[in-house]
């Protein structure tokens, strides 16, 4: 990496697919870390590099998605890879690069004229030794400064989300919900999916209590008896996609659902949220992240992350706690700026 003091430092995130498969939540967490570095070094833009070993088909297949015809070369455009389009749609992301090997990545960093700050840091051998998906750097920044930089989508996706809320929701309050409902290749549902019957019961109870519309995001199959509720809108029926769904989250009155990749958009924002996680999923990781708390260090009192199974009564109680504190003014500020 060239040391050029006349140029501004630019955070450069590295994701090594040999250490961990790439995920929506992981990318958003890494972007949150890069935003922290940007705050520390007065940088408004970040970049990201993704590398893998070409004879390891599993990480490569995960990155390619359904598009197996892409010809990968050093610094290929991430816009050719479906999942990484999400990254490029985040405010402040200037570029994304793909590398066949870690050696290609190191060569790029050594020859660039930019002054990059790499994260995770490279070791003495020029490799990454890091556990992705943790928020320790973000927690440390919060403890030092009392705030964290937030994530937001770029203008086109934000505008689509604002138009949807204005056209389909107002004057009711928009509540964004993500209910994971993943079916494995075996045909069996994932054991950490949302408890759909409990959420249906909650939506039904909420009809007579709150003037809200629940915007269900994601590409999962939503049971018909939930889709047809008058206070429920399924965004994929309105032409939404991952980019637009993520843009909706910071613009909502509140976010609700189960722990998932998209829920990280709420975690790294000011929006009140209520997130449930199967207590038997990622047990050790969550212990390191939260200890015995039900919130992240940098969360507000109305941003809760519960390691317990959701029930309709519990969802109602926790949502009412948010609703009774009247976040209308805060929501309007977030929505209009």
């Amino acid at each position: 990496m060239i040391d050029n003091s006349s140029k501004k430092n630019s955070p450069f995130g590295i994701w090594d697919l040999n250490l961990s498969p790439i995920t929506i939540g992981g990318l958003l967490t890494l972007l949150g870390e890069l935003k922290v570095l940007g705050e520390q070094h007065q940088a408004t833009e970040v970049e990201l590099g993704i590398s893998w070993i070409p004879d390891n088909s599993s990480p490569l297949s995960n990155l390619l998605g359904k598009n197996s015809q892409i010809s990968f070369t050093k610094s290929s455009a991430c816009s050719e890879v479906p999942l990484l389009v999400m990254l490029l749609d985040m405010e402040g992301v200037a570029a994304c690069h793909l590398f066949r090997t870690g050696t290609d990545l190191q060569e790029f960093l050594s020859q660039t004229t930019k002054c990059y700050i790499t994260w995770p840091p490279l070791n003495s051998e020029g490799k990454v030794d890091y556990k992705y998906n943790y928020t320790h750097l973000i927690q440390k920044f919060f403890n030092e400064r009392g705030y964290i930089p937030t994530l937001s989508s770029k203008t086109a996706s934000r505008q689509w989300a604002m138009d949807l809320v204005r056209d389909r929701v107002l004057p009711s309050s928009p509540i964004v919900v993500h209910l994971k409902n993943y079916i494995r290749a075996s045909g069996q549902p994932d054991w950490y999916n949302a408890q759909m019957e409990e959420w249906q019961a909650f939506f039904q109870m909420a009809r007579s209590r709150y003037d809200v519309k629940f915007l269900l995001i994601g590409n999962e199959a939503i049971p018909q008896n939930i889709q047809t509720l008058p206070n429920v809108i399924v965004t994929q029926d309105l032409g939404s996609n991952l980019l637009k769904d993520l843009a909706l989250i910071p613009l909502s009155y509140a976010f609700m659902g189960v722990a998932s990749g998209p829920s990280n958009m709420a975690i790294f924002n000011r929006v009140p949220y209520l997130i449930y996680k199967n207590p038997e999923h990622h047990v050790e990781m969550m212990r390191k992240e939260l200890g015995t708390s039900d919130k992240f260090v940098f969360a507000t009192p109305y941003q809760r992350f519960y390691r317990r199974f959701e029930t309709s009564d519990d969802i109602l109680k926790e949502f009412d706690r948010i609703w009774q504190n009247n976040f209308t003014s805060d929501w309007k500020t977030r929505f209009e700026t």
Side-chain angles (χ1 to χ4, degrees):
M1 182 169 62
I2 294 176
D3 183 11
N4 189 336
S5 57
S6 66
K7 293 182 178 293
K8 280 191 173 181
N9 292 324
S10 179
F12 190 97
I14 299 172
W15 193 290
D16 186 341
L17 283 168
N18 296 288
L19 296 179
S20 176
I22 204 164
T23 63
I24 295 170
L27 278 178
L28 292 177
T29 301
L30 180 57
L31 181 55
E33 294 176 304
L34 296 178
K35 290 276 192 174
V36 161
L37 291 175
E39 289 281 307
Q40 292 173 332
H41 297 276
Q42 294 80 53
T44 58
E45 294 184 333
V46 304
E47 298 184 30
L48 189 110
I50 296 168
S51 67
W52 67 92
I53 295 176
D55 61 2
N56 188 336
S57 61
S58 178
L60 183 57
S61 298
N62 186 73
L63 183 63
L64 281 169
K66 296 180 180 179
N67 191 346
S68 59
Q69 303 303 313
I70 298 172
S71 176
F72 282 91
T73 57
K74 185 169 61 178
S75 297
S76 297
C78 289
S79 58
E80 296 181 77
V81 184
L83 179 59
L84 299 181
V85 173
M86 175 207 76
L87 182 72
L88 291 167
D89 196 56
M90 291 291 108
E91 194 67 44
V93 177
C96 176
H97 311 275
L98 298 174
F99 303 94
R100 286 190 177 278
T101 67
T103 301
D104 284 342
L105 169 61
Q106 293 170 41
E107 182 181 346
F108 169 81
L109 293 173
S110 67
Q111 294 181 355
T112 183
T113 58
K114 293 185 178 180
C115 190
Y116 284 127
I117 305 163
T118 57
W119 184 265
L122 299 174
N123 62 22
S124 59
E125 298 178 351
K127 297 180 180 179
V128 171
D129 182 11
Y130 189 68
K131 290 186 177 180
Y132 293 101
N133 298 298
Y134 284 92
T135 65
H136 298 158
L137 179 70
I138 301 169
Q139 292 181 39
K140 183 175 183 292
F141 180 88
F142 176 82
N143 288 333
E144 293 171 351
R145 302 205 185 184
Y147 74 96
I148 63 168
T150 57
L151 304 185
S152 61
S153 302
K154 289 180 178 174
T155 301
S157 294
R158 277 180 55 85
Q159 189 60 55
W160 184 93
M162 293 174 73
D163 290 344
L164 182 145
V165 171
R166 290 192 180 107
D167 295 343
R168 300 285 184 145
V169 178
L170 298 182
S172 300
S173 298
I175 311 297
V176 173
V177 183
H178 185 225
L179 302 181
K180 187 184 294 182
N181 192 25
Y182 182 72
I183 305 300
R184 293 180 179 271
S186 64
Q188 296 299 311
D190 253 335
W191 55 282
Y192 46 81
N193 281 348
Q195 308 294 310
M196 290 294 184
E197 291 183 359
E198 300 297 332
W199 285 96
Q200 178 186 344
F202 163 70
F203 296 145
Q204 290 172 325
M205 290 188 291
R207 285 181 57 188
S208 60
R209 291 173 167 86
Y210 312 109
D211 183 14
V212 305
K213 294 289 187 184
F214 296 102
L215 299 169
L216 270 61
I217 65 171
N219 61 0
E220 291 93 343
I222 303 297
Q224 191 67 21
N225 50 9
I226 292 180
Q227 291 190 47
T228 55
L229 291 172
N231 56 347
V232 167
I233 297 172
V234 180
T235 63
Q236 61 182 309
D237 292 344
L238 301 176
S240 191
N241 55 29
L242 176 60
L243 309 185
K244 297 170 181 177
D245 281 347
L246 291 179
L248 277 167
I249 294 173
L251 299 177
S252 65
Y253 185 95
F255 173 84
M256 307 173 68
V258 296
S260 64
S263 70
N264 281 24
M265 193 70 174
I267 290 171
F268 301 127
N269 257 291
R270 291 163 44 204
V271 58
Y273 62 73
L274 170 60
I275 298 172
Y276 290 92
K277 186 175 179 68
N278 185 320
E280 299 174 3
H281 190 219
H282 296 148
V283 175
E284 183 60 19
M285 176 182 179
M286 296 314 303
R287 185 192 66 78
K288 292 179 179 178
E289 280 283 275
L290 300 180
T292 59
S293 179
D294 58 14
K295 58 192 289 289
F296 288 90
V297 168
F298 47 82
T300 73
Y302 298 97
Q303 294 180 317
R304 297 296 174 126
F305 191 104
Y306 291 119
R307 286 167 285 179
R308 63 182 186 237
F309 293 107
E310 65 268 36
T311 67
S312 57
D313 287 340
D314 191 56
I315 301 168
L316 181 65
K317 179 189 72 174
E318 294 297 334
F319 178 73
D320 193 67
R321 189 175 68 87
I322 292 174
W323 186 258
Q324 293 302 326
N325 279 274
N326 193 357
F327 287 98
T328 302
S329 176
D330 174 74
W331 168 68
K332 287 183 176 178
T333 299
R334 286 187 284 107
F335 186 77
E336 295 170 358
T337 59

